[in-house]
Amino acid sequence: MTSTTVKGAPVRAIGTEHVRVEGREKVTGTARYAGEIPFADLAHGWLVLSSAARGRIKVIDTEPVLAMPGVLAVLHHGNALPLHADFVGLLGTRPDPTCAVFQNDEVPHAGWPVALVVAETPEQAREAAEALLVHYEQQPHDVEFTGADPNAYPVDGHMPAVTDKGDLERELAASAVVIDAEYTTPEEHHHPMEPHAATARWDDGRLELTDSNQGATWVVAELANLFSLDPESVRVRSEHVGGGFGSKGVRAHQVAAVMAATVLQRPVRVVLTRRQMFTLAGHRSPTIQRIRLGADPDGRLRALDHRALSRTSTVYEFVEPSAGVARVMYDADAHHTENQVVRLDVPSPTWMRAPGEAPGSFALESALDELAEKCGVDPIALRLRNEPDKGPVSGLPFAGRNLHACFEEGARRFGWAQRDPRPGMRRDGRWLLGTGTAGASFGAGAAPSTATITAQADGDFTVSIAAADIGTGARTALTLVAADALDVPTARIRVRLGDSAYGPAMIAGGSMGTRSWSWAVMAAARDLRERMVPGMEIPPQGITVRSDTTEAVAALARKERHSFGAQFAEVAVDTNTGEVRVRRMLGIFAAGRIVNPLTAKGQFTGGMIWGISMALHEEARRDTFYGGPLGADLAGYHVATHADIPHIDADWVDDPDPEDPVGIKGIGEIGIVGAAAAVANAVWHATGVRHRSLPIRPDRVLTAGRLA
């Protein structure tokens, strides 16, 4: 093949609907996930978790277990390899010590990993793990999360803990209308369809990990640090990932697999059970949020005070930055936000889809709705009245802020103008009907990444990048981006990803994956086209170029970069049972240039469905006596099912980012932001009763009253 272009009209793949390039593999069952890939001489590990809520290990009775059929080893604090856990990782944070398994006899919470049993088969490993006796010296524990805990303190996390502007108390005192309310959200869990799984093996002095993760670069760096290895001697591969949502970073199962493979010098696989995921995969902390709003009679904000408390473990400081959303959405003369944590004897929380924004938007957007009611102002008009022209806290200009367009288009399509603002006025038999709305925002960042593109002699192009497709359609999006960048049909693009050997790349997280990877692909395509001369002969090995966007990303001007959205919901509330049903939902988003409308709509509606689940179903509880979760399975932890999901639609307004090579912002998390608040506001409109605690269960609806 002698040309890199196709004659005729330019190819335009971005913005057209394209089915997933790996779709056939997935629907035929040939797509291989981490727990399915075969290895010769494979051994299986099963983690043993503490039944004590806090204390120390006194004795681990390994001898009877080692005598059981097929058992190869029992790793624990008495024989484990030493690990180095004192380092700052890829995301600027230290690793959760939970992943540094078996380093001492301390047990900081129920479900702490205390041993790994390795056997020839998973059945043998499980039977032996369940037979292992561990004796503990139990100590008093505390898992109760309350807003009055005197040990709460502010934590920066990935944003400053506290921001201040103006005289808050003075503006509140001068306000004609004041809202002062507390909102709570419960502990929530990710639970992707594919459980966490990893297989470790050594090959000629090189560690190889086949894993289900959100970024091979991340896992390589963490494992290299933990085991004091040269990162060049570690390779991580992840062919397909069945969901992540923030949970699939470096966890105890990967480290345990590497440790066992090192000791036994054979491949070892460790897979978490669904029940173990409630402890070892992270979770979203419960939150207690107090919001005070002060406004003039027309609803213009004079004061905005958003204070959020979340929970962390005693071994790891992680903050759910719920107050952060107030720093972006609305301005006021006096503005205060604060994120605090309290340490308890619980597993460590972690990032979960829209960390901070999801629970924070429920509180803020519910409070805005309450203010609109009190002022007698339409909820959309009140929000737009408080639109900032620059970052309310940062003072930086916005790199595009089309929230107004989202509300305008959403209101038109939802029929908002026909809404009677009075609550409890619509009825359908025993059902009370109501509608609600909420705003949404999520950061639109980019991170350095590398990519290589090879022009093959047969006219095809191979794109190699250590991206992770966690079910979002990243392979397909990058295929479209590469096709346009090279001006060839998508059929001539082959995207390879999920392998650390392709070079450093951003993780699938923070709604930054596709934007960061596309930037690297665009840069590599540009360099390749510059090297290609029409008519030149491509050698059999092809022509390969490699890009690195580190300098380009660093050169971005400091601005407030966000995707925005407007959520609309209609609910029906059963006056006899207290059941809440969402009848229809609409989300309109300003989220940059949409690469693949087909998969993008799935991302948006998936987030909105999660918001319905958050509003009405999801709630993990802990037993105060033994410290562990109650109903630690998908029967006891309720999520929305098909029967709960109504007519749901998502669309977008034109919103390309001129400073991004493709115009991308990010869509992975904006769909859940504001969704729970829109449902809660609709429940108020149906019943006339505010629900400030999620989920809105039937018993809470009934006890709240006013359903006659």
Side-chain angles (χ1 to χ4, degrees), residues 144-167:
E144 291 198 66
F145 179 61
T146 68
D149 197 309
N151 297 313
Y153 61 97
V155 173
D156 286 345
H158 64 273
M159 63 176 65
V162 180
T163 64
D164 259 314
K165 181 179 75 174
D167 190 327

Side-chain angles (χ1 to χ4, degrees), residues 183 289 291 293 304 306 322 325-326 328-330 357-373 379-380 382-384 387 401 403 407 436-441 564-567 672-682 690-691:
Y183 304 85
Q289 303 175 60
I291 293 188
L293 303 176
L304 191 161
H306 190 168
S322 302
V325 68
V328 175
M329 287 299 288
Y330 307 107
E357 280 86 353
S361 65
F362 163 66
L364 181 64
E365 293 296 321
S366 295
L368 262 290
D369 215 63
E370 294 199 43
L371 181 65
E373 174 200 354
I380 294 177
L382 182 132
R383 286 168 170 83
L384 297 181
E387 273 274 89
R401 183 183 171 102
L403 181 60
F407 271 119
T437 190
S441 74
F564 291 93
Q567 304 272 17
I672 189 177
V673 182
V679 173
N681 292 338
R690 289 285 176 190
H691 289 269

Side-chain angles (χ1 to χ4, degrees), residues 27 47 149 387 397 421 520 536 548 576 589 622:
V27 299
L47 283 165
D149 197 309
E387 273 274 89
M536 73 178 292
D548 186 336
N576 296 324
F589 302 96
R622 295 196 166 268

